[in-house]
Amino acid sequence: MENYPGFEHGIMGPELMDAMRKQAHRFGATSLYEMVAAVDHTTRPFSIRTERGEVHTADAVIIATGASAKLLGVPGEQEFMGFGVSACATCDGFFFRGLHVYVIGGGDTAMEEATYLTRFAEKVTIVHRREEFRASTIMVERARSNPKIDFILNSTVAEFVGSTDDGPKRLMSLVLEDTRNGERTTVPADGAFVAIGHQPNTSIVAGFLTLDASGYIVRPGASTATNVEGIFACGDATDSVYRQAVTAAGSGCMAAIDAERWLEHQHHAAKLSA
Protein backbone atom coordinates (compact mmCIF):
# COMPACT_ATOMS: atom_id res chain seq x y z
CA MET A 1 0.00 0.00 0.00
CA GLU A 2 1.62 3.20 -1.21
CA ASN A 3 -1.06 5.71 -0.20
CA TYR A 4 -1.71 4.98 3.49
CA PRO A 5 -0.52 7.91 5.67
CA GLY A 6 2.58 7.47 7.79
CA PHE A 7 4.51 5.00 5.64
CA GLU A 8 7.01 6.85 3.48
CA HIS A 9 8.08 3.74 1.59
CA GLY A 10 4.70 1.99 1.65
CA ILE A 11 3.64 -1.07 3.58
CA MET A 12 2.18 -4.42 2.62
CA GLY A 13 -1.54 -4.66 3.32
CA PRO A 14 -1.33 -7.83 5.48
CA GLU A 15 1.48 -6.27 7.51
CA LEU A 16 -0.58 -3.16 8.22
CA MET A 17 -3.62 -5.27 9.13
CA ASP A 18 -1.55 -7.38 11.53
CA ALA A 19 -0.11 -4.29 13.23
CA MET A 20 -3.61 -2.80 13.63
CA ARG A 21 -4.90 -6.08 15.06
CA LYS A 22 -2.07 -6.33 17.59
CA GLN A 23 -2.61 -2.72 18.62
CA ALA A 24 -6.31 -3.39 19.25
CA HIS A 25 -5.45 -6.54 21.23
CA ARG A 26 -3.11 -4.51 23.44
CA PHE A 27 -6.13 -2.49 24.55
CA GLY A 28 -8.24 -5.55 25.33
CA ALA A 29 -9.93 -6.43 22.03
CA THR A 30 -10.20 -10.05 20.96
CA SER A 31 -10.48 -11.52 17.47
CA LEU A 32 -12.61 -14.47 16.36
CA TYR A 33 -11.64 -15.84 12.97
CA GLU A 34 -15.05 -17.04 11.84
CA MET A 35 -17.58 -16.22 9.13
CA VAL A 36 -20.84 -14.68 10.35
CA ALA A 37 -23.86 -16.50 8.97
CA ALA A 38 -26.67 -14.40 10.48
CA VAL A 39 -27.38 -11.45 12.75
CA ASP A 40 -30.60 -11.42 14.77
CA HIS A 41 -31.50 -7.75 15.21
CA THR A 42 -34.81 -8.50 16.97
CA THR A 43 -33.23 -9.62 20.24
CA ARG A 44 -31.45 -7.61 22.94
CA PRO A 45 -28.61 -8.22 23.23
CA PHE A 46 -28.09 -8.88 19.53
CA SER A 47 -27.44 -12.48 18.54
CA ILE A 48 -24.72 -13.32 16.03
CA ARG A 49 -24.45 -16.84 14.61
CA THR A 50 -21.33 -18.04 12.82
CA GLU A 51 -21.04 -20.63 10.07
CA ARG A 52 -19.71 -23.07 12.68
CA GLY A 53 -23.02 -22.78 14.51
CA GLU A 54 -21.62 -20.82 17.45
CA VAL A 55 -23.72 -17.97 18.83
CA HIS A 56 -22.29 -14.75 20.23
CA THR A 57 -24.19 -11.85 21.78
CA ALA A 58 -23.45 -8.13 21.66
CA ASP A 59 -25.01 -5.00 23.10
CA ALA A 60 -23.93 -3.05 20.01
CA VAL A 61 -22.82 -4.16 16.56
CA ILE A 62 -20.63 -2.43 13.98
CA ILE A 63 -20.98 -3.66 10.40
CA ALA A 64 -17.62 -3.29 8.64
CA THR A 65 -17.90 -5.94 5.92
CA GLY A 66 -16.40 -3.79 3.15
CA ALA A 67 -16.91 -4.10 -0.58
CA SER A 68 -15.40 -6.34 -3.24
CA ALA A 69 -14.28 -5.27 -6.67
CA LYS A 70 -16.33 -6.82 -9.45
CA LEU A 71 -14.13 -8.99 -11.62
CA LEU A 72 -14.42 -10.39 -15.13
CA GLY A 73 -14.13 -14.04 -14.14
CA VAL A 74 -11.92 -14.97 -17.10
CA PRO A 75 -8.83 -17.23 -17.15
CA GLY A 76 -5.69 -15.73 -15.63
CA GLU A 77 -7.49 -12.96 -13.74
CA GLN A 78 -7.11 -14.49 -10.29
CA GLU A 79 -3.75 -16.04 -11.09
CA PHE A 80 -2.15 -12.70 -11.94
CA MET A 81 -4.03 -10.54 -9.44
CA GLY A 82 -1.27 -8.59 -7.73
CA PHE A 83 1.20 -9.59 -10.44
CA GLY A 84 0.15 -7.09 -13.09
CA VAL A 85 -3.63 -7.35 -12.70
CA SER A 86 -5.29 -4.97 -10.24
CA ALA A 87 -8.68 -3.57 -9.31
CA CYS A 88 -7.40 -0.35 -7.70
CA ALA A 89 -5.45 2.30 -9.60
CA THR A 90 -4.85 4.48 -6.56
CA CYS A 91 -3.45 1.47 -4.71
CA ASP A 92 -1.17 0.11 -7.42
CA GLY A 93 -0.68 2.79 -10.08
CA PHE A 94 2.72 3.76 -8.70
CA PHE A 95 4.18 0.40 -9.71
CA PHE A 96 3.51 1.00 -13.42
CA ARG A 97 5.57 4.11 -13.94
CA GLY A 98 6.61 4.48 -17.59
CA LEU A 99 4.70 1.37 -18.69
CA HIS A 100 1.71 0.56 -20.92
CA VAL A 101 -1.37 -0.44 -18.95
CA TYR A 102 -4.96 -1.29 -19.84
CA VAL A 103 -8.16 -0.30 -18.06
CA ILE A 104 -11.18 -2.54 -18.60
CA GLY A 105 -14.56 -0.86 -18.26
CA GLY A 106 -16.82 1.86 -19.61
CA GLY A 107 -18.22 3.66 -16.59
CA ASP A 108 -17.07 6.61 -14.52
CA THR A 109 -14.79 4.32 -12.51
CA ALA A 110 -12.91 3.27 -15.63
CA MET A 111 -12.52 6.84 -16.88
CA GLU A 112 -11.37 8.05 -13.48
CA GLU A 113 -8.87 5.23 -13.06
CA ALA A 114 -7.50 5.69 -16.58
CA THR A 115 -7.02 9.41 -16.01
CA TYR A 116 -5.34 8.78 -12.67
CA LEU A 117 -2.98 6.19 -14.17
CA THR A 118 -1.60 8.72 -16.68
CA ARG A 119 0.29 10.23 -13.75
CA PHE A 120 2.52 7.16 -13.82
CA ALA A 121 2.03 5.10 -16.97
CA GLU A 122 3.45 6.07 -20.33
CA LYS A 123 0.29 4.90 -22.09
CA VAL A 124 -3.19 3.87 -20.94
CA THR A 125 -5.61 1.95 -23.15
CA ILE A 126 -9.28 1.67 -22.20
CA VAL A 127 -10.96 -1.56 -23.31
CA HIS A 128 -14.76 -1.42 -23.50
CA ARG A 129 -17.29 -3.93 -24.78
CA ARG A 130 -19.42 -1.35 -26.62
CA GLU A 131 -18.98 1.91 -28.51
CA GLU A 132 -21.19 3.84 -26.09
CA PHE A 133 -20.08 4.49 -22.53
CA ARG A 134 -22.00 4.37 -19.27
CA ALA A 135 -19.69 7.08 -17.96
CA SER A 136 -20.82 10.67 -17.80
CA THR A 137 -20.05 12.82 -20.84
CA ILE A 138 -17.60 15.01 -18.95
CA MET A 139 -15.61 11.99 -17.73
CA VAL A 140 -15.44 10.50 -21.24
CA GLU A 141 -14.33 13.82 -22.73
CA ARG A 142 -11.68 14.22 -20.07
CA ALA A 143 -10.28 10.80 -20.98
CA ARG A 144 -10.51 11.44 -24.73
CA SER A 145 -8.65 14.72 -24.41
CA ASN A 146 -5.76 13.13 -22.52
CA PRO A 147 -2.93 12.39 -25.00
CA LYS A 148 -1.80 9.38 -22.98
CA ILE A 149 -5.17 7.60 -23.26
CA ASP A 150 -6.46 5.64 -26.24
CA PHE A 151 -9.40 3.26 -26.67
CA ILE A 152 -10.15 -0.23 -27.92
CA LEU A 153 -13.92 -0.49 -28.31
CA ASN A 154 -16.28 -3.38 -29.03
CA SER A 155 -13.85 -5.67 -27.25
CA THR A 156 -13.62 -7.68 -24.05
CA VAL A 157 -10.71 -9.35 -22.28
CA ALA A 158 -11.02 -13.09 -22.80
CA GLU A 159 -7.85 -14.06 -20.93
CA PHE A 160 -4.94 -12.64 -18.95
CA VAL A 161 -1.68 -14.26 -20.02
CA GLY A 162 1.61 -14.13 -18.15
CA SER A 163 4.86 -15.79 -17.26
CA THR A 164 5.06 -18.25 -14.37
CA ASP A 165 7.96 -20.50 -15.39
CA ASP A 166 11.09 -18.41 -15.86
CA GLY A 167 11.72 -15.38 -13.68
CA PRO A 168 9.14 -13.54 -11.59
CA LYS A 169 5.44 -14.20 -12.05
CA ARG A 170 3.91 -11.35 -14.02
CA LEU A 171 1.28 -10.40 -16.57
CA MET A 172 2.58 -10.18 -20.14
CA SER A 173 -0.39 -9.90 -22.49
CA LEU A 174 -4.16 -9.77 -22.89
CA VAL A 175 -6.32 -11.84 -25.22
CA LEU A 176 -9.00 -9.51 -26.56
CA GLU A 177 -12.21 -10.73 -28.17
CA ASP A 178 -14.18 -8.61 -30.63
CA THR A 179 -17.79 -8.47 -29.42
CA ARG A 180 -19.07 -8.16 -33.00
CA ASN A 181 -17.42 -11.12 -34.72
CA GLY A 182 -15.71 -13.09 -31.94
CA GLU A 183 -12.23 -12.68 -33.40
CA ARG A 184 -9.41 -12.82 -30.89
CA THR A 185 -6.14 -10.92 -30.83
CA THR A 186 -3.29 -10.86 -28.33
CA VAL A 187 -1.77 -7.56 -27.23
CA PRO A 188 1.27 -7.03 -24.97
CA ALA A 189 0.42 -5.54 -21.58
CA ASP A 190 2.54 -4.42 -18.65
CA GLY A 191 -0.52 -4.10 -16.45
CA ALA A 192 -4.31 -4.31 -16.46
CA PHE A 193 -6.85 -2.65 -14.18
CA VAL A 194 -10.33 -4.12 -13.94
CA ALA A 195 -12.66 -1.15 -13.41
CA ILE A 196 -16.21 -2.43 -13.69
CA GLY A 197 -17.38 -1.32 -10.26
CA HIS A 198 -17.64 -2.66 -6.73
CA GLN A 199 -20.15 -4.83 -4.88
CA PRO A 200 -20.71 -4.07 -1.19
CA ASN A 201 -20.60 -7.14 1.06
CA THR A 202 -23.96 -6.44 2.64
CA SER A 203 -26.12 -9.44 1.78
CA ILE A 204 -26.03 -10.58 5.41
CA VAL A 205 -27.83 -7.40 6.56
CA ALA A 206 -30.06 -6.88 3.54
CA GLY A 207 -33.15 -8.08 5.36
CA PHE A 208 -33.12 -5.47 8.10
CA LEU A 209 -30.75 -2.59 7.32
CA THR A 210 -31.70 0.06 4.76
CA LEU A 211 -29.59 -0.28 1.61
CA ASP A 212 -29.41 1.99 -1.41
CA ALA A 213 -30.03 0.82 -4.97
CA SER A 214 -26.44 -0.45 -5.25
CA GLY A 215 -26.52 -2.35 -1.97
CA TYR A 216 -24.55 0.09 0.20
CA ILE A 217 -25.74 0.59 3.78
CA VAL A 218 -27.64 3.86 4.24
CA ARG A 219 -26.87 5.87 7.36
CA PRO A 220 -29.85 8.21 7.87
CA GLY A 221 -28.06 10.93 9.87
CA ALA A 222 -24.61 12.46 10.21
CA SER A 223 -23.35 9.63 12.43
CA THR A 224 -22.59 6.01 11.60
CA ALA A 225 -25.89 4.84 13.11
CA THR A 226 -28.15 2.76 10.87
CA ASN A 227 -31.93 2.44 10.85
CA VAL A 228 -31.66 -0.20 13.60
CA GLU A 229 -30.82 1.28 16.99
CA GLY A 230 -27.60 -0.18 18.32
CA ILE A 231 -26.24 -1.22 14.93
CA PHE A 232 -23.62 1.00 13.30
CA ALA A 233 -21.93 0.78 9.91
CA CYS A 234 -18.63 2.00 8.54
CA GLY A 235 -16.05 1.57 5.80
CA ASP A 236 -16.60 0.47 2.23
CA ALA A 237 -19.91 -1.20 3.05
CA THR A 238 -21.26 2.36 3.29
CA ASP A 239 -18.99 4.15 0.81
CA SER A 240 -19.50 4.10 -2.95
CA VAL A 241 -17.30 7.16 -3.55
CA TYR A 242 -13.87 7.03 -1.90
CA ARG A 243 -13.21 3.32 -1.19
CA GLN A 244 -9.77 3.87 0.33
CA ALA A 245 -8.17 2.21 3.36
CA VAL A 246 -7.62 5.54 5.09
CA THR A 247 -11.25 6.65 4.70
CA ALA A 248 -12.47 3.25 5.88
CA ALA A 249 -10.20 3.47 8.93
CA GLY A 250 -11.49 6.95 9.69
CA SER A 251 -15.13 5.91 9.49
CA GLY A 252 -14.30 2.87 11.63
CA CYS A 253 -13.08 5.24 14.34
CA MET A 254 -16.34 7.20 13.99
CA ALA A 255 -18.39 4.03 14.38
CA ALA A 256 -16.44 3.01 17.50
CA ILE A 257 -17.05 6.42 19.08
CA ASP A 258 -20.73 6.34 18.14
CA ALA A 259 -21.16 2.83 19.55
CA GLU A 260 -19.36 3.72 22.78
CA ARG A 261 -21.49 6.83 23.32
CA TRP A 262 -24.68 4.90 22.56
CA LEU A 263 -23.73 2.20 25.07
CA GLU A 264 -22.99 4.83 27.72
CA HIS A 265 -26.38 6.42 27.08
CA GLN A 266 -28.10 3.03 27.41
CA HIS A 267 -26.25 2.35 30.65
CA HIS A 268 -27.23 5.67 32.21
CA ALA A 269 -30.84 5.30 31.03
CA ALA A 270 -31.02 1.86 32.65
CA LYS A 271 -29.69 3.22 35.96
CA LEU A 272 -32.25 6.03 35.98
CA SER A 273 -35.13 3.66 35.33
CA ALA A 274 -34.00 1.16 37.99
Side-chain angles (χ1 to χ4, degrees), residues 65-222:
T65 48
S68 301
K70 294 179 182 178
L71 300 178
L72 300 173
V74 299
E77 184 176 39
Q78 291 289 352
E79 181 180 5
F80 294 102
M81 185 64 65
F83 297 92
V85 179
S86 173
C88 179
T90 52
C91 307
D92 301 325
F94 174 83
F95 298 106
F96 296 88
R97 189 178 297 276
L99 301 177
H100 181 190
V101 301
Y102 290 77
V103 173
I104 299 97
D108 281 344
T109 298
M111 301 303 145
E112 183 177 0
E113 300 236 316
T115 301
Y116 177 82
L117 285 166
T118 59
R119 303 180 186 183
F120 310 102
E122 179 66 27
K123 182 179 180 181
V124 179
T125 300
I126 296 175
V127 179
H128 182 45
R129 62 184 301 111
R130 295 184 293 272
E131 290 187 18
E132 301 79 20
F133 296 96
R134 291 180 290 104
S136 60
T137 301
I138 189 170
M139 292 296 290
V140 174
E141 290 307 314
R142 186 178 300 170
R144 288 192 183 279
S145 63
N146 192 312
K148 284 190 172 184
I149 298 177
D150 64 4
F151 296 81
I152 297 178
L153 304 181
N154 298 308
S155 295
T156 60
V157 175
E159 184 177 358
F160 296 90
V161 180
S163 172
T164 57
D165 298 328
D166 300 323
K169 179 179 180 180
R170 65 184 180 91
L171 178 74
M172 298 181 68
S173 60
L174 305 179
V175 177
L176 302 181
E177 181 175 302
D178 192 305
T179 57
R180 297 163 298 185
N181 54 32
E183 291 184 1
R184 292 191 173 190
T185 56
T186 300
V187 296
D190 299 311
F193 291 80
V194 181
I196 56 176
H198 288 73
Q199 178 67 44
N201 304 319
T202 55
S203 59
I204 194 171
V205 298
F208 57 93
L209 292 190
T210 302
L211 308 180
D212 67 15
S214 299
Y216 290 90
I217 298 171
V218 174
R219 300 180 301 195

Side-chain angles (χ1 to χ4, degrees), residues 37-53:
V39 177
D40 186 351
H41 69 290
T42 63
T43 62
R44 292 294 189 277
F46 297 108
S47 177
I48 301 168
R49 180 171 54 83
T50 72
E51 289 187 343
R52 296 178 182 175

